[in-house]
């Protein structure tokens, strides 16, 4: 019997699980990565097509493919003037489960959720107590508050959770510094402020490369579910090109000139 458990932070990293850049260009690139569960087994492969403009990512279209080669879910993210709450849609193709979130004028957030195919879609408009952040906006929230977090400060956010038709008080803070592949890194945690909810939902860990600001590793819950309907706990690590780094601009044709893009740095 399928069941959908209390997934507060499930969607946060699905859209980001990307690795080495394939055929980068000035405007778009495709990234691919494997999400592993405890024991090292690959749960799914994630293929993300990114579009960039003027050094900013503007959209990500992602497919989640199981080990048998079947596309099991899709996610669409479109960044506008509110990067902490981009327009985001996730759909599980196996069950028809679907969630949406987007920012509205005046700081409000619209959310929609459907539990299964052919079921009614619930809708709600939220006005949050803290800075609103949806799943696809978490990394941007870390970047926006980088200096304060590095200094040991805490950031309180209202994490948008469409499947619960609500927001929850979460907090961001730095947990550790270290090294990965010879490079300095800093790890941040996103967790519910409420201790009981924290015990149920768990914590999400984001390890960033200090030099490039790219995501080096993620550990935690995602919105992709197992056969029993429970959210997966995954571990993804990157080397070389990492999510968050700007795409490399293709070399100009012979006889033309172009400026050299600056290397991306942590905020």
């Amino acid at each position: 019997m399928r069941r959908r458990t209390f997934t507060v932070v499930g969607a946060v990293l699905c859209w980001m699980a990307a690795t080495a850049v394939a055929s980068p260009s000035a405007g778009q690139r495709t990234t691919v990565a494997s999400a592993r569960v405890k024991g090292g087994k690959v749960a799914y492969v994630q293929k993300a097509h990114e579009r960039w403009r003027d050094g900013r990512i503007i959209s990500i279209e992602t497919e989640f493919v199981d080990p048998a080669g079947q596309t099991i879910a899709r996610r669409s993210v479109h960044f506008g003037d509110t990067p902490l709450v981009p327009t985001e849609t996730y759909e599980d193709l196996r069950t028809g489960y679907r969630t949406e979130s987007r920012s509205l004028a005046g700081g409000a957030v619209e959310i929609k959720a459907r539990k299964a195919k052919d079921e009614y879609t619930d809708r709600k408009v939220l006005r949050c107590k803290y800075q609103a952040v949806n799943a696809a906006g978490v990394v941007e929230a870390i970047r926006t508050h980088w200096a304060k977090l590095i200094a040991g400060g805490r950031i309180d956010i209202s994490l948008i959770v469409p499947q619960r038709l609500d927001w929850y008080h979460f907090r961001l803070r730095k947990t550790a510094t270290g090294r990965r592949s010879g490079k300095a890194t800093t790890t941040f945690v996103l967790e519910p402020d409420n201790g009981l909810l924290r015990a149920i939902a768990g914590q999400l860990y984001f390890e960033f490369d200090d030099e490039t600001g790219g995501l080096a590793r993620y550990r935690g819950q995602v919105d992709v579910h197992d056969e029993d309907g429970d959210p997966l706990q995954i571990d993804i690590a990157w080397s070389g090109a990492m999510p968050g780094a700007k795409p490399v601009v293709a070399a100009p044709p012979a006889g033309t000139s172009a400026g050299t893009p600056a290397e991306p740095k942590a905020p």
Side-chain angles (χ1 to χ4, degrees):
M1 178 178 179
R2 294 187 62 83
R3 62 187 186 280
R4 187 161 298 277
T5 57
F6 184 62
T7 310
V8 173
V9 292
V12 172
L13 251 289
C14 288
W15 70 274
M16 292 180 51
T19 185
V21 175
S23 301
S25 70
Q28 59 185 0
R29 67 179 176 186
T30 299
T31 58
V32 180
S34 298
R36 299 179 184 275
V37 294
K38 187 176 181 180
K41 180 181 178 181
V42 174
Y44 58 86
V45 173
Q46 187 163 313
K47 301 178 181 180
H49 180 70
E50 303 173 351
R51 293 180 59 218
W52 292 72
R53 180 184 299 148
D54 299 327
R56 290 183 56 199
I57 192 164
I58 60 174
S59 69
I60 308 172
E61 302 292 338
T62 306
E63 289 188 351
F64 303 88
V65 183
D66 69 14
Q70 183 74 28
T71 299
I72 59 175
R74 289 194 176 97
R75 180 180 302 284
S76 176
V77 178
H78 292 267
F79 296 87
D81 296 330
T82 53
L84 273 61
V85 188
T87 299
E88 178 180 17
T89 302
Y90 174 83
E91 183 172 7
D92 188 319
L93 302 180
R94 298 165 297 181
T95 64
Y97 168 75
R98 180 185 175 93
T99 61
E100 301 177 45
S101 60
R102 68 186 183 99
S103 61
L104 301 176
V109 178
E110 179 187 48
I111 54 177
K112 297 179 181 180
R114 182 181 70 192
K115 294 181 179 180
K117 184 179 180 181
D118 298 327
E119 288 199 15
Y120 180 78
T121 297
D122 293 309
R123 175 186 178 273
K124 190 175 182 180
V125 174
L126 303 176
R127 293 193 177 276
C128 303
K129 180 178 180 180
Y130 308 99
Q131 170 67 64
V133 180
N134 66 358
V138 171
V139 169
E140 187 60 32
I142 294 174
R143 291 178 178 277
T144 298
H145 299 288
W146 185 275
K148 183 174 181 178
L149 290 168
I150 286 292
R154 161 180 157 172
I155 304 299
D156 292 282
I157 69 170
S158 293
L159 184 65
I160 306 301
V161 186
Q163 62 267 44
R164 306 298 294 185
L165 293 177
D166 211 342
W167 64 266
Y168 292 85
H169 181 189
F170 270 63
R171 63 193 187 192
L172 278 167
R173 58 185 177 84
K174 182 180 79 172
T175 61
T177 58
R179 301 190 69 83
R180 180 172 294 277
S181 301
K183 299 180 179 180
T185 63
T186 302
T187 299
F188 306 89
V189 63
L190 174 67
E191 60 188 4
D193 183 68
N194 179 278
L196 178 60
L197 186 57
R198 190 159 58 247
I200 298 173
Q203 299 167 303
L204 306 181
Y205 293 92
F206 303 76
E207 184 179 358
F208 282 79
D209 174 68
D210 289 349
E211 181 180 2
T212 66
L215 187 69
R217 186 185 185 191
Y218 168 74
R219 291 174 291 137
Q221 189 181 103
V222 293
D223 207 33
V224 178
H225 288 62
D226 62 20
E227 293 180 353
D228 294 324
D230 295 320
L232 293 173
Q233 295 282 339
I234 65 168
D235 189 331
I236 305 176
W238 296 266
S239 60
M242 292 173 285
K246 294 181 179 179
V248 177
V249 177
T256 64
S257 62
T260 302
E263 289 295 321
K265 297 292 183 180

